[in-house]
Structure formats: C-alpha cells, structure tokens
Amino acid sequence: MEFRNSVDFQVIGDYALFSDPITRIGGEKSTLQVPTYEALKGILSSIYWKPTITWVIDSVRVMNPIQTEVKGIRPIFYDPKAAGKKAKNDLSFYTYLKDCRYQVRAHFVWNENRPELAADRNENKHHNVARRMIEKGGRRDVFLGTRECQGYVEPCVFGEGTGAYDGIAELGFGLMYHGITYPDEAFSSETKGKMCVRFWHPVMRRGVIDFLPPERCPVSREVREMPVRPFGAEYGNFSGLNEFGEGEI
C-alpha cells in the first residue's frame, strides 16, 4: 500500500548479517534469509531520523538470489578474569548473506508518545527532507544488519525491474524476529514504559514481503521496564523544531 508520505528506496551491499538478537550474545552468528523489519527501520533511521515521527516499513522486495557465505572471523575474546592483560583473539565462523539488493517502501506516522514535539508535525517538511536524504545516500552510514556490512542507498520506484523471485508464488520463513518496541514508540497500555520484542511469520509472495505493523504482530514479549526520555529545550537536549529554515521546507 502506498501512503501520501511514502518513500521508496533501494539498498545494496556486498554482505549482510540479519541475525536474531537471541544469537547476538556471543559466539558464531548466522544470518536470517531476509532483512527484518527492525533492520530496515534502522536503515531508514540512518537516512533520516527525527523523534517527531515513527517510520513504518510497509514492504521489502528481494531483488537478488538469497545466497550465503561463511567467513572465519577473529573477534576480540573478552575474559573478565583477564582484566589488565593483553586481549586474545577468538575464532568464530559467521554466515553472511552476499550480493544483497532490496527495494523498500515505507511511510511515517506522528509519534504520539512525543507530545512535546507536536509543533514539529509538518508532514510536507519531513516527507521532502526524507526524499532528499534518500537522493543523497542518507545522513549517516548505512549498515545491512551489522556494522561490518556497509550498505548504499539510492532512490528507486518500488516494483520496477526484474527480481530473482518474481516467478515464485509463495515462500514462507516460519517464526521470525520482527523488531523491538521501545517505550517512546509504545502503541498500547501493555507496551507503555517497557521494551518489548516482537515476532511474526513472514511470507514472500512474488519476491515481496508485506510487513505487519508492530501493533499487529501475533507474538510480543516484555524484555524489561524502560522510561521514556523526553525531548525539548526545557530538558536540555535538541528539540528539532528549528533545524530547517523556511527555505528548506
């Protein structure tokens, strides 16, 4: 579905590692087959982020064949008993996706958990700035799941071009991590003041995965309680209300 403030972009990279957070506590990491909602939202936040808005990922289109490559990695071995001693290297094998290219469609909604930024709710401004940032490749570095997997962003028209899975009617991926609900993006009484993790059952149809919005994910679990940090000049941090002059809107 296309919204009035939708944005389309393509992200490419030599490698990607979309790992389930449960497996990121250490040791050997293995990527999921497709990007997660949270990973794509992180990419879009690197392109353009403001606490006034919340990005909603609508769809992703897998353009290249899903391929993996195993690499021998030597991360630093952290031993709490060896404080002050020379750090050792450990050997791990990470499984990456390779030759990645995805088309993404998303839109934004107002973050109702940020009433202090209500004066910044100018849809035209945020939409235009987001599109310009996509044309420029983003405001910050883009990563495909993890920092060692550099990504590159460029504008596209969602659905154009030939994808590797256009001829496959349906492909399911089972129960998969969807994303994290932070307290400043809470959408119900159960998620207010908490950090929760979401799961769902993605299905790719003709190369396209249509994401469920966070509030419709079938499985959600509380991780811990977490307060909301307010934004605004009265709190001594950046409000974002005067970042762009009239000529930039």
Side-chain angles (χ1 to χ4, degrees):
M1 179 183 296
E2 186 173 2
F3 294 82
R4 186 173 65 177
N5 58 19
S6 289
V7 295
D8 294 351
F9 65 92
Q10 178 172 257
V11 58
I12 60 176
D14 292 336
Y15 293 97
L17 201 162
F18 303 113
S19 57
D20 192 315
I22 295 175
T23 69
R24 296 184 68 90
I25 57 176
E28 299 178 342
K29 301 175 186 177
S30 181
T31 185
L32 299 171
Q33 294 173 290
V34 292
T36 64
Y37 182 99
E38 192 72 20
L40 295 174
K41 185 180 175 185
I43 290 172
L44 197 45
S45 296
S46 293
I47 295 170
Y48 178 65
W49 175 86
K50 291 292 284 293
T52 311
I53 66 176
T54 298
W55 284 111
V56 179
I57 308 300
D58 298 312
S59 304
V60 63
R61 185 178 179 215
V62 181
M63 301 298 292
N64 290 351
I66 298 173
Q67 305 175 81
T68 59
E69 180 176 320
V70 178
K71 293 185 177 184
I73 305 294
R74 287 195 173 275
I76 296 176
F77 177 75
Y78 293 99
D79 184 357
K81 298 180 181 179
K85 298 181 181 179
K86 185 177 179 180
K88 301 183 295 182
N89 279 346
D90 204 2
L91 177 62
S92 297
F93 291 96
Y94 291 5
T95 303
Y96 295 87
L97 292 171
K98 67 176 184 178
D99 189 22
C100 304
R101 183 160 67 100
Y102 307 103
Q103 291 181 353
V104 183
R105 170 165 287 173
H107 72 282
F108 64 82
V109 297
W110 302 127
N111 190 342
E112 300 295 341
N113 296 291
R114 295 290 184 190
E116 70 273 18
L117 299 180
D120 193 37
R121 293 176 183 173
N122 184 324
E123 184 181 48
N124 185 58
K125 179 187 80 169
H126 291 296
H127 190 212
N128 286 335
V129 175
R131 290 190 301 175
R132 289 203 299 271
M133 292 304 102
I134 290 174
E135 292 174 358
K136 294 180 179 295
R139 282 185 164 180
R140 294 177 291 171
D141 289 347
V142 171
F143 307 107
L144 291 171
T146 187
R147 189 170 183 84
E148 68 262 27
C149 299
Q150 183 77 42
Y152 302 91
V153 167
E154 61 187 22
C156 78
V157 176
F158 191 90
E160 282 194 352
T162 302
Y165 297 94
D166 293 350
I168 297 180
E170 185 173 296
L171 182 61
F173 297 96
L175 184 68
M176 186 179 290
Y177 166 75
H178 185 276
I180 294 175
T181 302
Y182 293 98
D184 63 339
E185 296 181 351
F187 50 80
S188 66
S189 58
E190 289 78 15
T191 56
K192 286 187 179 295
K194 303 171 184 176
M195 182 175 74
C196 301
V197 62
R198 308 182 305 270
F199 299 87
W200 73 311
H201 297 83
V203 177
M204 183 169 67
R205 297 180 175 90
R206 305 291 180 184
V208 176
I209 298 174
D210 294 319
F211 287 100
L212 290 177
E215 63 271 16
R216 290 179 53 197
C217 282
V219 182
S220 179
R221 294 291 183 268
E222 177 185 344
V223 177
R224 64 185 176 91
E225 294 185 355
M226 180 183 289
V228 178
R229 179 187 177 188
F231 276 87
E234 64 270 34
Y235 303 105
N237 54 35
F238 174 62
S239 69
L241 301 184
N242 301 313
E243 182 178 7
F244 302 99
E246 293 183 0
E248 294 292 327
I249 296 176

